[in-house]
Amino acid sequence: MTGVAFRPVTTDDTVTLLDIYNHYVTTSTVTFDLEPWSPRDMDHKIDTVAALGMPFIVAELDGDLVGYAYLSTFREKAAYDTTMENTLYLRPDMRGRGTGRLLLDEVVRLGAVAGVREVIAVIANTPDAEASIRLHNAAGFSLVGEMNNVGLKFDRWIGVVMMQKSLAS
Ligand SMILES: CC(C)(COP(=O)(O)OP(=O)(O)OC[C@H]1O[C@@H](n2cnc3c(N)ncnc32)[C@H](O)[C@@H]1OP(=O)(O)O)[C@@H](O)C(=O)NCCC(=O)NCCS
């Protein structure tokens, strides 16, 4: 995939980010949210990531926002501060073209610049998330854990896998 450019998110992106994220909230198990986010929820996430000094980037193709990624708190307690959880979502029609890899590599690169040492992906262990698991594998994440039946969505119990990439040199 060529022609994809990255830039930091702004609150002008909120509506487009919600279009992307809420599609997955309402149609898939890749996120454990059960209700669509409001503009206030997304603006709060943008502000929270900025306050952490972590990257929140969007991918654009021909001027259109086609995906986004950010790093945010993995666990609240202070000793976890150099470990971040990554999140990324593509506009549905943009999946399967290599854009996810570019976006993930870029947010991880920016995380390293911001002092992140370990990046954790918490991924639903369902067929919906097969692309995500494969993507993280290809991008150098290793499977480090698995939890069963920790979520209930669409009347099904859902587990997660944890994948980790170390940025320590
Ligand atoms: C997960 C996501 C970011 C991956 O990005 P992408 O651009 O679609 O993926 P890529 O084209 O870079 O391909 C990554 C890998 O997934 C595989 N893949 C892509 N689409 C797939 C699909 N629908 N089913 C199974 N595997 C798929 C690719 O073959 C590739 O695997 P490989 O490296 O072993 O060949 C994107 O599909 C997406 O936004 N999905 C919905 C939201 C989501 O799951 N977010 C992650 C939450 S943890």
Side-chain angles (χ1 to χ4, degrees), residues 37-120:
W37 279 21
S38 68
R40 180 191 289 251
D41 294 328
M42 190 58 84
D43 287 343
H44 179 65
K45 180 60 73 177
I46 292 170
D47 290 346
T48 303
V49 173
L52 285 170
M54 289 296 140
F56 191 146
I57 56 173
V58 301
E60 288 186 321
L61 184 63
D62 299 330
D64 289 334
L65 194 165
V66 296
Y68 67 92
Y70 58 83
L71 301 182
S72 59
T73 302
F74 169 61
R75 302 269 287 170
E76 293 286 344
K77 294 192 170 85
Y80 285 111
D81 279 358
T82 52
T83 297
M84 291 287 144
E85 181 172 342
N86 73 292
T87 295
L88 80 162
Y89 287 90
L90 295 180
R91 204 174 68 189
D93 62 302
M94 287 295 295
R95 288 176 294 181
R97 304 191 207 174
T99 312
R101 178 63 189 276
L102 298 175
L103 192 50
L104 181 55
D105 284 350
E106 180 64 5
V107 81
V108 166
R109 185 187 71 78
L110 292 169
V113 171
V116 175
R117 185 183 166 99
E118 304 296 327
V119 183
I120 309 292

